Each structure stands twice: as structure tokens, then as C-alpha cells.
Amino acid sequence: MRRSVILLALLCGAVVVSLAAKSQSYVESVSDPKEWKKLLRTRTNILVLYTRGKVKQEINLVFTEVSRELRGTATLVHIDCSGEGKKLCKKNKVEPVSYVLKHYKDGDFHKDYDRRETIQSMSTFLRDPSGDIPWDEDEQGVDVVHINDVNALTKLLKKERSFMMMFYAPWCGFCKRLKPDYSMAATELKDTHTLVAMDVNKPENSAARIKYNITGFPTLMYFEDGAPKYTYEGENNKAGIVAFMKNPGKAPEKPKEEVWSDTPSDVIHLTDATFHEFVKGEASVLVMFYAPWCGHCKRMKPEYTSAATLLKERGIMGKLAAVDTTKETKLGTEFSIKGYPTIKYFRNGEFAFDVSSAREKDKILEFMADPKEPPPPPPPEKPWSEVESSVVHLTDENYKSFLKKKKHVLVMFYAPWCGHCKKAKPEFMNAADRFSDDPKVEFAAVDCTTFQTLCSTNDVSGYPTFKYFNYYKNTKPYNGGRTEIDFVKFMEDPENPLSGSPPPPPSPQEEWASVQGGELIHHLTEATFDTFISNKETLVMFYAPWCGHCKAMKDDFGQAAVELAAEGKMGVLATVDATVERSLATRFQIHGFPTLKFFRHGHLVTEYNRSRKSADIVGFMRNPPLNGKDEL
């Protein structure tokens, strides 16, 4: 009896402990500005619930549960703006009517929380605060049935007689491009057909990925009676998906490409049986080893074919030959063909050397007129970690221990192949040398192709990424310039809140200063736009500073301004930086760069659709259209 009582007491105690653990909240209440500042300095992923008065039960329950679920991954904080936290709310410029959620990352405000206020949505956001909104939370995808796990898929297979399934991965670029069309198709078909989506990148969904042999993304399958019937191979757009769902079936066979060797040309197509005899009989032969499916080969074929004809017409000695190594496997093995196309030159029946550069018609003709062996490739670049410098190279083994001992460390996360990294390396090393005698300051580097886990832990999504560490725990991103002077200035005072901030972007006037005629171009803002165009004819170029086509057009736009000024024309040229003046970009429906629009006395007349050369711009302004039509 006594033993039974003891056992019962132990069981009751275990239940009480279990219930206590479930009700435990890890939400931190903060009201003191100093305490808040310390929290920002020591925590990198903070979600704050600002409230005025009593917290609503629904959000309180969600917030509490997320604090338990993500303990150690994220910090959840409550600040009462009507009580002791009033001063802190004012300092943070937050004035909630009832409550508001704001996220802080790496010591700075990141963004307002804009997802669903559920445990799953909030947890997903805090695991990847910079990631895209999950598809199942995107309003555009409301008519797509989202399957979160294998159990839900099993239920769907029993419930629905037929449906289309899109197996996808959130990081997949092709999936991202297809999502809007797939969502629109789901909306159009929602009364008659079911379109489903499943993220099989999740570890818990790997069973579905294996079962249905999903080896690429996106994969679209049509299911009927609980089993896949067709793999969708139609157009990846709304129209193609809608048409298929209205009449499911195998996609029509794509027309077969004509076999290159069956197409009449001056290229000689060789086989295992004919190759050696042909080559022995020729003094100069260039051979292209290819595969019919290879994209680079397809692009090279017309160039190679045209070069063979011109070789013959111009009387240049030599022949161009081709070998399909997917058929002529012996030749592929004999010449160790590992990639396509591989181009080899044969002289007097013997292999002479590889020719990697002759892929365009002119280059092929130039080579055959004077066949010379190309210079040997440069020796492989020495790994940065083997280059003598003051930069410390961190690995999985020394990363944490090194940073914990150092007061000021600037770490460069890089990839050896990255062009921007190569450009920054000597500047970074020079800056490191400047502090070589200062034991408190270090410059370090992590090769993300070798130590992927370290880079993933630090949210490295591009190269190079720079991050400042203070005794490992305190970190902040470095977004400043990448010259030796920039790095040195930052490390001289890294704790200054403004240190490492990106330099302010140049003004339009500075940006166009180097363009001839740039001083004649007027740079408009939302405040000056309407007044400026109200009494004149103006051709306005809406552009983005990063846009390559815009940069390429600048010189012509400047030259056109010079010519118009010399002729004394009334019309003027102007620009709008659409990345800054977003209200103007929205007002005039700017969807691509550069976009040029012509205004007369404050009214939009037409969009400029001629070439971007100065002569055409000047010609347009000499005789601009009277109405919305541009007569060439």
C-alpha cells in the first residue's frame, strides 16, 4: 500500500512538472532603455510585442507558445507602452493603438512583422526573418491547396479523385517564377479542378520526394484515383496549366530536332569507322566533338557550319569536321572527351592540340588561316589561406575560440571564384597589415565553399559578406566601402553606431557629372516635377542607377542634350531616378528601365519608343508628336 502511494505521488509530481513546462513563458518584459540597449547588443533575432494596456489573450497565447518553441533561436520581448515602458516606446518611436509587432536583427530595427499571427507563421518567420513569405501565406496563392506533410497528402489522395500537384523547393528560381501563374490557374479553376502544392525540400517530406522520384524542381504531376497518371510537360504558364487541366493527357510530343549529320553543309561528320582514315588524308583538320542535347553545342553549330562554307569559298586550307560522341563512343573514349563541345586540331593525321577559343565563325576562320597552339592556361590561383598576410583564416575548429578572445574582429566571408571578393582581397589584406601591431584588432576570413556551416550560421547569402565581432557575442554587419581606407576607418572606431554604414548614394547631379552634356540635363524630383514640365516640352528618362541599359544610354542622352542646346531648341531632356522617386514611378506606370516619356506643357503625350542613340533622340525632339502617336 505504501509503495502504491509513493508511486502515485511520483506520477502526480511528473504531471505537475510537465504541465508547468508547457505553461512556461520565455517572453521577456522590458521597460528600461538601458536594458533594451543591452538586449539589442547581445541578441541578434528579436521580435517585440508593443502593447497599450492589457495584452489580448489570442496574441498573448501565440507569443508565449512561440517563445517556448524557439527558445535559443529567437528572443521574444513584451514592452507595455502605457506603463513603465512608455519612455522606451517613445524612444523607439512606437505608438500602438492596441498592439504592434516589430522585428530587430543584428542590433537594428529590421521590419514590421507582416505575416499571419499564428504559431506556425511566427515560428517560420523567426527561423528565417529575411526569407520570402511562405507560399501558403501569400494571398495570391489562396486557391492553391498547400500540403504541409505526408499525412495531409495521404488524406488528400483518399479525398480527391484527381488533382495537379506541384512539388517545389522554396529556394528554386524556376519555382518562384511559376508560382504566380500556378496560383492564377488555381483561381480560374477553383470551381472545377484542384491544384495542390507541396514543399518537398522539408526534411519531413522527403518520403514523398523519394516515393514520386522528384529529382528536379518544379515537378508537376497529375494524380488520378490516388496515383500519379501524367507528368506535366506543357508550358510553364497559366494558359498551359489551365488547358491541360481541362483536358488531361500526355503532352504532345515535341518535334524532333533534325540530326546535324543529315543536314547538308560543308562540315564533315565522322564516325568511329571513318575518323582515322579521313584525318590521315588531311593536312589540317579542326574537329568538334559534341552532344546533340548540349546547349553550348547548339549555339556553336550555325557558327561552325557557316565557317566551313566560308573556309571553302575563301580557299583557306583545312577542313572542319564533327563527331557526335553520344553515338561514336569509341572516339569519345580515345580522346578523353569529358565536356561539350571539345575542339581538337589535327595536323598531318596526328592530334596536335586543343583549341578552346574557336567557337565563333570569325575566330574559327582566323585560327584555320594560321593554326597556332594557344598559350598554356595560367597556373591555378594559390588559395588565399596560403598567401602570407596579416589576415587570419578561420575554420570550423578555430572559429569560435579565436573570436571569443578578440575585442575587435572584422570577418570577410568569401568564395574563391567571386570577382568582388578577388577585388576586395588586396584592400582587406592591406588594412590588416596596418593593424598588425595592435593585439586588439584582427582581420579574418572564412572560405564559404569549404566551411559552409559557418557561413550558413552567419546568414551569408552573397559574397563577400563582412561582419564585425566583439568577443564573439556582439556582432553587427559591415556595409561600408571595400577599400583599404574604408576598412581602416571602420576598425579605428568600430563601436561607433555610424561606422560601417553604406556611404550615401551619389546625387543624380554627381552621378551624371562625368557625362558630356550632363550639366544640360535636368534632374527632377517629386517636389520639382510638375512645376518644371508645366511650360515646356520635356523628354524624361526614368532610370535606375544599377540598370545596365540606363548606363549604356547615358552618353547618348548627354550628347543629345548638347546638340539640342546648340540648335536652340525649346525642348529639354530630364531624368528621374525611379528608385528614389517611387511616387513618380507609380504615377507614370514605370515597369522597366530605362523608360522615356514625352511631356508637353504638363501633359503626358506619348512614350518614346525609338532607338536610344543620340541621333534618334534629337530627331524626335526636333519634330515631336502632336498627339499620342509618334510618326517616324
Side-chain angles (χ1 to χ4, degrees), residues 376-384 386-387 416 422 425:
E381 190 176 344
K382 198 175 183 181
W384 189 12
E386 294 178 15
V387 176
K422 290 178 180 179
K425 269 165 57 178

PDB file of all heavy atoms in Angstrom, residues 376-384 386-387 416 422 425:
ATOM      1  N   PRO A 376      49.549  28.192 -72.873  1.00  0.00           N
ATOM      2  CA  PRO A 376      49.031  27.339 -71.791  1.00  0.00           C
ATOM      3  C   PRO A 376      48.225  28.170 -70.807  1.00  0.00           C
ATOM      4  O   PRO A 376      48.478  29.373 -70.628  1.00  0.00           O
ATOM      5  CB  PRO A 376      50.307  26.794 -71.138  1.00  0.00           C
ATOM      6  CG  PRO A 376      51.367  27.788 -71.476  1.00  0.00           C
ATOM      7  CD  PRO A 376      51.012  28.314 -72.828  1.00  0.00           C
ATOM      8  N   PRO A 377      47.225  27.560 -70.164  1.00  0.00           N
ATOM      9  CA  PRO A 377      46.430  28.315 -69.189  1.00  0.00           C
ATOM     10  C   PRO A 377      47.287  28.742 -68.012  1.00  0.00           C
ATOM     11  O   PRO A 377      48.284  28.087 -67.694  1.00  0.00           O
ATOM     12  CB  PRO A 377      45.356  27.297 -68.749  1.00  0.00           C
ATOM     13  CG  PRO A 377      45.964  25.956 -69.028  1.00  0.00           C
ATOM     14  CD  PRO A 377      46.826  26.145 -70.223  1.00  0.00           C
ATOM     15  N   PRO A 378      46.927  29.854 -67.378  1.00  0.00           N
ATOM     16  CA  PRO A 378      47.717  30.299 -66.215  1.00  0.00           C
ATOM     17  C   PRO A 378      47.644  29.263 -65.101  1.00  0.00           C
ATOM     18  O   PRO A 378      46.666  28.521 -65.002  1.00  0.00           O
ATOM     19  CB  PRO A 378      47.021  31.610 -65.802  1.00  0.00           C
ATOM     20  CG  PRO A 378      45.632  31.509 -66.357  1.00  0.00           C
ATOM     21  CD  PRO A 378      45.756  30.712 -67.605  1.00  0.00           C
ATOM     22  N   PRO A 379      48.672  29.188 -64.278  1.00  0.00           N
ATOM     23  CA  PRO A 379      48.642  28.216 -63.173  1.00  0.00           C
ATOM     24  C   PRO A 379      47.485  28.526 -62.237  1.00  0.00           C
ATOM     25  O   PRO A 379      47.069  29.693 -62.122  1.00  0.00           O
ATOM     26  CB  PRO A 379      49.995  28.436 -62.477  1.00  0.00           C
ATOM     27  CG  PRO A 379      50.424  29.808 -62.877  1.00  0.00           C
ATOM     28  CD  PRO A 379      49.864  30.028 -64.244  1.00  0.00           C
ATOM     29  N   PRO A 380      46.937  27.509 -61.577  1.00  0.00           N
ATOM     30  CA  PRO A 380      45.811  27.763 -60.674  1.00  0.00           C
ATOM     31  C   PRO A 380      46.185  28.737 -59.564  1.00  0.00           C
ATOM     32  O   PRO A 380      47.318  28.747 -59.089  1.00  0.00           O
ATOM     33  CB  PRO A 380      45.494  26.364 -60.099  1.00  0.00           C
ATOM     34  CG  PRO A 380      46.723  25.542 -60.347  1.00  0.00           C
ATOM     35  CD  PRO A 380      47.337  26.101 -61.592  1.00  0.00           C
ATOM     36  N   GLU A 381      45.219  29.567 -59.212  1.00  0.00           N
ATOM     37  CA  GLU A 381      45.463  30.583 -58.193  1.00  0.00           C
ATOM     38  C   GLU A 381      45.724  29.927 -56.838  1.00  0.00           C
ATOM     39  O   GLU A 381      45.051  28.979 -56.445  1.00  0.00           O
ATOM     40  CB  GLU A 381      44.238  31.497 -58.092  1.00  0.00           C
ATOM     41  CG  GLU A 381      44.460  32.730 -57.257  1.00  0.00           C
ATOM     42  CD  GLU A 381      43.247  33.650 -57.259  1.00  0.00           C
ATOM     43  OE1 GLU A 381      42.375  33.481 -58.130  1.00  0.00           O
ATOM     44  OE2 GLU A 381      43.181  34.526 -56.380  1.00  0.00           O
ATOM     45  N   LYS A 382      46.703  30.430 -56.146  1.00  0.00           N
ATOM     46  CA  LYS A 382      47.064  29.910 -54.835  1.00  0.00           C
ATOM     47  C   LYS A 382      45.927  30.208 -53.850  1.00  0.00           C
ATOM     48  O   LYS A 382      45.400  31.326 -53.832  1.00  0.00           O
ATOM     49  CB  LYS A 382      48.354  30.593 -54.362  1.00  0.00           C
ATOM     50  CG  LYS A 382      49.087  29.891 -53.249  1.00  0.00           C
ATOM     51  CD  LYS A 382      50.402  30.617 -52.970  1.00  0.00           C
ATOM     52  CE  LYS A 382      51.219  29.909 -51.919  1.00  0.00           C
ATOM     53  NZ  LYS A 382      52.488  30.633 -51.639  1.00  0.00           N
ATOM     54  N   PRO A 383      45.505  29.228 -53.033  1.00  0.00           N
ATOM     55  CA  PRO A 383      44.450  29.505 -52.052  1.00  0.00           C
ATOM     56  C   PRO A 383      44.838  30.686 -51.167  1.00  0.00           C
ATOM     57  O   PRO A 383      45.997  30.825 -50.771  1.00  0.00           O
ATOM     58  CB  PRO A 383      44.367  28.204 -51.243  1.00  0.00           C
ATOM     59  CG  PRO A 383      44.934  27.156 -52.131  1.00  0.00           C
ATOM     60  CD  PRO A 383      45.972  27.833 -52.958  1.00  0.00           C
ATOM     61  N   TRP A 384      43.862  31.522 -50.835  1.00  0.00           N
ATOM     62  CA  TRP A 384      44.129  32.716 -50.053  1.00  0.00           C
ATOM     63  C   TRP A 384      44.769  32.350 -48.711  1.00  0.00           C
ATOM     64  O   TRP A 384      45.640  33.057 -48.215  1.00  0.00           O
ATOM     65  CB  TRP A 384      42.834  33.495 -49.846  1.00  0.00           C
ATOM     66  CG  TRP A 384      43.022  34.863 -49.242  1.00  0.00           C
ATOM     67  CD1 TRP A 384      44.208  35.529 -49.083  1.00  0.00           C
ATOM     68  CD2 TRP A 384      42.016  35.723 -48.729  1.00  0.00           C
ATOM     69  NE1 TRP A 384      43.979  36.756 -48.495  1.00  0.00           N
ATOM     70  CE2 TRP A 384      42.648  36.902 -48.268  1.00  0.00           C
ATOM     71  CE3 TRP A 384      40.635  35.618 -48.624  1.00  0.00           C
ATOM     72  CZ2 TRP A 384      41.941  37.951 -47.700  1.00  0.00           C
ATOM     73  CZ3 TRP A 384      39.924  36.673 -48.067  1.00  0.00           C
ATOM     74  CH2 TRP A 384      40.563  37.819 -47.611  1.00  0.00           C
ATOM     75  N   GLU A 386      46.888  30.296 -48.096  1.00  0.00           N
ATOM     76  CA  GLU A 386      48.320  30.003 -48.228  1.00  0.00           C
ATOM     77  C   GLU A 386      49.137  31.252 -48.591  1.00  0.00           C
ATOM     78  O   GLU A 386      50.363  31.183 -48.700  1.00  0.00           O
ATOM     79  CB  GLU A 386      48.529  28.933 -49.303  1.00  0.00           C
ATOM     80  CG  GLU A 386      47.925  27.580 -48.912  1.00  0.00           C
ATOM     81  CD  GLU A 386      48.097  26.538 -50.005  1.00  0.00           C
ATOM     82  OE1 GLU A 386      48.922  26.782 -50.926  1.00  0.00           O
ATOM     83  OE2 GLU A 386      47.409  25.503 -49.964  1.00  0.00           O
ATOM     84  N   VAL A 387      48.444  32.376 -48.782  1.00  0.00           N
ATOM     85  CA  VAL A 387      49.132  33.631 -49.098  1.00  0.00           C
ATOM     86  C   VAL A 387      49.541  34.302 -47.786  1.00  0.00           C
ATOM     87  O   VAL A 387      48.731  34.446 -46.869  1.00  0.00           O
ATOM     88  CB  VAL A 387      48.211  34.575 -49.907  1.00  0.00           C
ATOM     89  CG1 VAL A 387      48.901  35.911 -50.152  1.00  0.00           C
ATOM     90  CG2 VAL A 387      47.814  33.928 -51.228  1.00  0.00           C
ATOM     91  N   PRO A 416      36.142  31.669 -53.328  1.00  0.00           N
ATOM     92  CA  PRO A 416      37.353  31.886 -54.145  1.00  0.00           C
ATOM     93  C   PRO A 416      37.069  32.347 -55.572  1.00  0.00           C
ATOM     94  O   PRO A 416      37.846  33.085 -56.149  1.00  0.00           O
ATOM     95  CB  PRO A 416      38.032  30.509 -54.135  1.00  0.00           C
ATOM     96  CG  PRO A 416      37.540  29.842 -52.899  1.00  0.00           C
ATOM     97  CD  PRO A 416      36.123  30.318 -52.727  1.00  0.00           C
ATOM     98  N   LYS A 422      37.672  38.840 -55.031  1.00  0.00           N
ATOM     99  CA  LYS A 422      39.048  38.989 -55.527  1.00  0.00           C
ATOM    100  C   LYS A 422      39.479  40.459 -55.516  1.00  0.00           C
ATOM    101  O   LYS A 422      40.630  40.775 -55.221  1.00  0.00           O
ATOM    102  CB  LYS A 422      39.153  38.420 -56.942  1.00  0.00           C
ATOM    103  CG  LYS A 422      39.029  36.899 -57.004  1.00  0.00           C
ATOM    104  CD  LYS A 422      39.086  36.400 -58.439  1.00  0.00           C
ATOM    105  CE  LYS A 422      38.953  34.877 -58.498  1.00  0.00           C
ATOM    106  NZ  LYS A 422      38.972  34.375 -59.883  1.00  0.00           N
ATOM    107  N   LYS A 425      40.047  41.513 -51.751  1.00  0.00           N
ATOM    108  CA  LYS A 425      41.115  40.821 -51.010  1.00  0.00           C
ATOM    109  C   LYS A 425      42.361  41.675 -50.757  1.00  0.00           C
ATOM    110  O   LYS A 425      42.797  41.812 -49.605  1.00  0.00           O
ATOM    111  CB  LYS A 425      41.504  39.521 -51.732  1.00  0.00           C
ATOM    112  CG  LYS A 425      40.713  38.323 -51.278  1.00  0.00           C
ATOM    113  CD  LYS A 425      40.826  37.141 -52.226  1.00  0.00           C
ATOM    114  CE  LYS A 425      42.227  36.696 -52.466  1.00  0.00           C
ATOM    115  NZ  LYS A 425      42.292  35.509 -53.348  1.00  0.00           N
TER     116      LYS A 425
END
